[in-house]
Amino acid sequence: MLTLRPAAERGHADHGWLRTWHSFSFADYYDPRHMGWGNLRVINEDIVAPGTGFGMHGHRDMEIITYMLAGELTHRDSMGHTATLRAGEVQHMSAGRGVMHSEMNHGTQPVHLLQIWILPRVRGIAPSYTQAPMDTTAGRGRLAPVALPVDHPETAPLRIHADAALYAARLDGADTTQHRLAPGRLGYVHVVRGRLAVNGVALAAGDAALALDEPLLTLADAQAAEVLLFDLARV
């Protein structure tokens, strides 16, 4: 079964310095029908104005992935990391038993990103930080891993302490790719840009499809599409 999550039905807030869309309940947006999907808890699409950002704040016991789409974001944290994230890069912060960080747009252009939160397998681990470029050729015409569990045998730019896998693809025209879900697993497909169909269901930018008891996900009929696919544990 596939359930469509239309982009227009997401939670939305315009704070002036921040325009944000929430796929699941977050901050002042609360919808008991959309509290997460399996161990996926947050997908926020954020546009951060120049000269602004998220000041120092804390997290714990969450696997946090930032997927950069445009602009530059400066990250600082209590582990001693200072880094600039750019379009085409991904970041993973394992909040573990607690970490403080800030995310600021010191550039002259808006920053556009997706922030993703996934529940960890184990609570109270040491916090950690990873930043990596995306191989744009690897995900062209097929799904390529972005983040995999730390014990997964395949390679990926990011390793997370969660029973979840994240893949990305750039598809267009006749491109078709598939992902098989093991019994008991959940799927979540989020269209970043463009259009495509998932098992024949048409999706546009910002739309998502929630997959339950769908052993095979087929992505096809794409028009300049960039898409994220999550393979998730039920919780």
Side-chain angles (χ1 to χ4, degrees):
M1 182 177 69
L2 283 182
T3 302
L4 179 62
R5 176 63 162 140
E9 295 181 7
R10 295 177 293 175
H12 174 58
D14 188 342
H15 302 289
W17 67 275
L18 170 69
R19 287 183 290 147
T20 181
W21 292 262
H22 307 314
S23 295
F24 303 116
S25 294
F26 186 87
D28 294 332
Y29 168 62
Y30 175 74
D31 184 339
R33 299 170 302 165
H34 300 288
M35 300 300 294
W37 187 240
N39 52 353
L40 176 62
R41 282 294 177 260
V42 169
I43 299 183
N44 290 346
E45 181 178 358
D46 293 339
I47 298 178
V48 184
T52 70
F54 303 93
M56 194 65 69
H57 60 284
H59 298 284
R60 66 180 303 121
D61 292 322
M62 195 64 70
E63 299 295 290
I64 300 172
I65 297 170
T66 301
Y67 188 94
M68 290 289 292
L69 298 172
E72 297 185 355
L73 192 71
T74 299
H75 165 96
R76 291 186 173 87
D77 64 43
S78 55
M79 295 177 283
H81 300 107
T82 299
T84 300
L85 288 164
R86 297 177 174 86
E89 294 185 318
V90 287
Q91 176 205 70
H92 168 233
M93 189 174 69
S94 183
R97 55 179 171 260
V99 65
M100 301 287 291
H101 78 136
S102 65
E103 300 156 294
M104 303 299 296
N105 179 3
H106 295 309
T108 59
Q109 301 297 319
V111 165
H112 188 190
L113 61 88
L114 296 177
Q115 188 161 104
I116 298 156
W117 295 9
I118 303 173
L119 293 172
R121 276 176 169 164
V122 181
R123 299 169 65 91
I125 62 175
S128 62
Y129 177 88
T130 305
Q131 179 178 335
M134 288 288 296
D135 184 349
T136 56
T137 60
R140 194 163 300 281
R142 66 180 183 88
L143 290 162
V146 176
L148 295 174
V150 291
D151 57 353
H152 198 284
E154 296 181 30
T155 60
L158 304 177
R159 291 288 184 175
I160 59 176
H161 301 278
D163 186 6
L166 169 59
Y167 302 87
R170 290 172 174 81
L171 307 172
D172 197 20
D175 292 336
T176 298
T177 189
Q178 294 181 319
H179 180 77
R180 189 168 297 278
L181 292 169
R185 303 290 291 183
L186 299 176
Y188 190 90
V189 179
H190 180 92
V191 180
V192 180
R193 290 185 264 237
R195 296 175 175 273
L196 53 70
V198 180
N199 290 5
V201 177
L203 304 177
D207 291 343
L210 293 75
L212 172 66
D213 296 328
E214 289 275 350
L216 185 66
L217 297 176
T218 300
L219 282 57
D221 301 326
Q223 300 175 31
E226 182 174 359
V227 61
L228 300 181
L229 185 150
F230 297 81
D231 186 321
L232 302 162
R234 301 192 192 199
V235 295

